[in-house]
Amino acid sequence: MISEPQSLVRVESNLFLQLDNLGHEQVVFCHDHYTGLKAIIAIHNTVLGPAMGGTRMWAYSSESEALEDVLRLSRGMTFKNAMAGLHLGGGKAVIIGDARKIKTEALLRLYGKFIKNLNGKYITAEDMGMTERDMEYIAQETSFVAGLPHYRGGSGSPAPMTALGTYVGMKAAAKKAFGTDSLEGKTIAVQGVGSVGEILIGYLAKENARIVVTDIFEDRIKKVAQQYKVTVVSPEDIYDVPADIYSPCARGATINDSTLQRLKAQVIAGCANNQLADEQLHGTACMKMGIVYVPDFVINSGGVINIATEIAGSYNQAWAKAKTEEIYDRVLQVLQKAESQRRNAQLVALEMAWQRIQDIARIKATY
Ligand code: NAD
């Protein structure tokens, strides 16, 4: 029988101890001197199906930071895919390096070969720093890639569906916190205006929300500010904005000891993965502070739902949209359960997802 992964805390220094704690099945290190490829593929759990999760390309400050990121992200995919009712396990990959500087066709195709050699145990798609075009290069070498452009019959970028899911999940959280799901007049602080953040802002603008944004890249901010009425703050100041809703849409672990002392929001609802630095500690802290925190892997599953239809054989946008809109009810269900049990919403959601995995593992154990 599979053993339950422990709740997500800061990663240990011993690799096999980390894998044991988090419950990973396999971790693959990919390296090539010529192209400069340094990638880590982490396969967390394949009970529900092949491990599915995007590839992130990021200029990590150290290899251990990259390893920690991929281990946390892949574990998150297991629960995300399970909670969304998909027949997919959890995995994720990171490529170490600045996507604006070192990404080449050769690097991506070589990376595709590493995925091919896993024989379908891991399927990739886009995450931060990766595009549909990149998926096409990977697809030259392996069929275990999704998020291909529409013209190739693929599901395209997962970002629009992730943004839709984040938007409906935010509305559900608003209903819980404010008694109405209207976002009109609410001040919403969006951290990160990349592929998902930018589209999310479009939805928020339509509802006449007051939008405050930040990003580390000037060009991203400029693009959004040209399209929408937004107030811009520096990346460090986003935590001090007197907002009703804080929407983390950049990187993980932004809900931690220091930021919780500064955040004024009653709701935290964003698309970033692994928002809580420590699920146990900071999820419980949110609850005690009366903050409605929407579990990240529940609210941000729109993208993988979109991808799942492509993996299933033929992309169906209408089905993906309808499934993504179900996030509204799922968020309410989790928040209500957490409230009635007076428990940390993240742990409640993890438990719900884990129950499905265990149920299916039991079925698989018989002939
Ligand atoms: P992206 O790379 O397109 O955008 C992220 C943006 O955040 C970038 O513009 C970047 O400059 C900015 N950023 C990074 N660090 C920042 C900081 N400290 N302060 C402010 N801004 C910062 O990525 P994306 O695809 O929009 O994804 C955003 C988040 O959502 C990631 O955590 C990703 O894993 C998660 N997510 C994305 C999808 C998807 O479909 N793309 C699906 C599920 C989850």
Side-chain angles (χ1 to χ4, degrees):
M1 182 51 74
I2 49 168
S3 59
E4 179 167 4
Q6 302 301 301
S7 102
L8 193 56
V9 292
R10 288 181 186 89
V11 170
E12 308 284 338
S13 56
N14 178 305
L15 179 55
F16 279 104
L17 187 61
Q18 287 175 44
L19 303 185
D20 199 36
N21 275 342
L22 296 175
H24 284 80
E25 293 177 11
Q26 189 177 359
V27 178
V28 183
F29 290 80
C30 319
H31 171 257
D32 177 60
H33 176 77
Y34 179 72
T35 57
L37 176 71
K38 288 186 192 129
I40 312 172
I41 302 171
I43 295 169
H44 181 257
N45 186 295
T46 55
V47 168
L48 295 179
M52 165 66 215
T55 298
R56 174 175 291 191
M57 189 159 186
W58 190 257
Y60 291 98
S61 58
S62 67
E63 288 168 12
S64 59
E65 192 199 351
L67 178 63
E68 173 161 354
D69 209 26
V70 78
L71 293 184
R72 290 170 63 106
L73 289 165
S74 52
R75 174 187 177 276
M77 288 310 299
T78 294
F79 293 105
K80 186 187 305 194
N81 295 341
M83 194 71 169
L86 304 175
H87 304 297
L88 293 168
K92 197 88 180 181
V94 296
I95 299 178
I96 300 172
D98 187 336
R100 295 181 181 212
K101 291 185 185 151
I102 72 151
K103 197 163 44 175
T104 58
E105 176 186 356
L107 180 143
L108 291 166
R109 289 183 65 162
L110 187 68
Y111 172 61
K113 280 206 157 182
F114 279 101
I115 295 175
K116 179 183 168 196
N117 290 337
L118 287 167
N119 289 317
K121 197 169 180 187
Y122 170 68
I123 305 171
T124 202
E126 296 91 337
D127 190 62
M128 284 170 75
M130 298 294 269
T131 65
E132 288 173 55
R133 185 82 191 105
D134 299 334
M135 296 307 118
E136 287 191 275
Y137 286 132
I138 293 171
Q140 288 299 116
E141 306 298 334
T142 178
S143 56
F144 300 115
V145 53
L148 287 162
H150 292 304
Y151 83 87
R152 288 184 61 155
S155 56
S157 163
M161 218 55 92
T162 304
L164 173 65
T166 305
Y167 168 61
V168 299
M170 185 185 287
K171 283 177 80 65
K175 181 148 180 75
K176 191 92 198 98
F178 311 123
T180 167
D181 69 8
S182 168
L183 301 176
E184 186 169 0
K186 293 277 182 285
T187 302
I188 305 173
V190 182
Q191 179 184 43
V193 288
S195 322
V196 181
E198 182 184 340
I199 303 169
L200 175 66
I201 286 169
Y203 287 113
L204 305 182
K206 264 195 200 148
E207 278 217 38
N208 292 321
R210 294 190 191 134
I211 306 164
V212 182
V213 297
T214 192
D215 201 287
I216 52 172
F217 289 121
E218 198 60 39
D219 56 335
R220 298 298 317 162
I221 288 287
K222 256 195 197 156
K223 186 160 182 256
V224 167
Q226 273 165 5
Q227 285 175 272
Y228 305 105
K229 193 176 156 209
V230 294
T231 305
V232 179
V233 298
S234 74
E236 194 36 46
D237 289 341
I238 195 77
Y239 304 109
D240 301 312
V241 171
D244 300 296
I245 301 174
Y246 163 56
S247 186
C249 296
R251 292 191 57 212
T254 62
I255 305 166
N256 53 48
D257 291 341
S258 108
T259 57
L260 274 176
Q261 288 177 16
R262 295 164 60 188
L263 287 172
K264 321 265 180 314
Q266 272 174 269
V267 170
I268 299 177
C271 70
N273 283 306
N274 297 329
Q275 295 168 23
L276 300 167
D278 182 321
E279 288 178 326
Q280 180 90 44
L281 198 67
H282 301 118
T284 304
C286 285
M287 181 190 73
K288 289 188 174 158
M289 291 167 73
I291 298 172
V292 175
Y293 164 75
V294 183
D296 43 14
F297 66 92
V298 181
I299 195 171
N300 70 11
S301 59
V304 76
I305 289 170
N306 198 51
I307 286 167
T309 81
E310 178 181 347
I311 294 172
S314 75
Y315 177 55
N316 183 333
Q317 193 175 37
W319 182 89
K321 187 167 179 282
K323 271 291 228 193
T324 297
E325 283 168 347
E326 289 174 11
I327 290 173
Y328 183 99
D329 288 339
R330 206 170 297 130
V331 166
L332 272 183
Q333 189 193 0
V334 170
L335 295 178
Q336 265 149 12
K337 198 166 179 177
E339 188 184 53
S340 67
Q341 296 181 354
R342 292 169 201 258
R343 289 178 61 215
N344 169 342
Q346 183 85 357
L347 299 187
V348 167
L350 285 171
E351 215 170 79
M352 289 164 75
W354 186 245
Q355 187 61 52
R356 176 169 177 240
I357 296 168
Q358 275 185 310
D359 290 347
I360 303 306
R362 214 168 283 129
I363 290 164
K364 283 192 162 181
T366 59
Y367 182 70

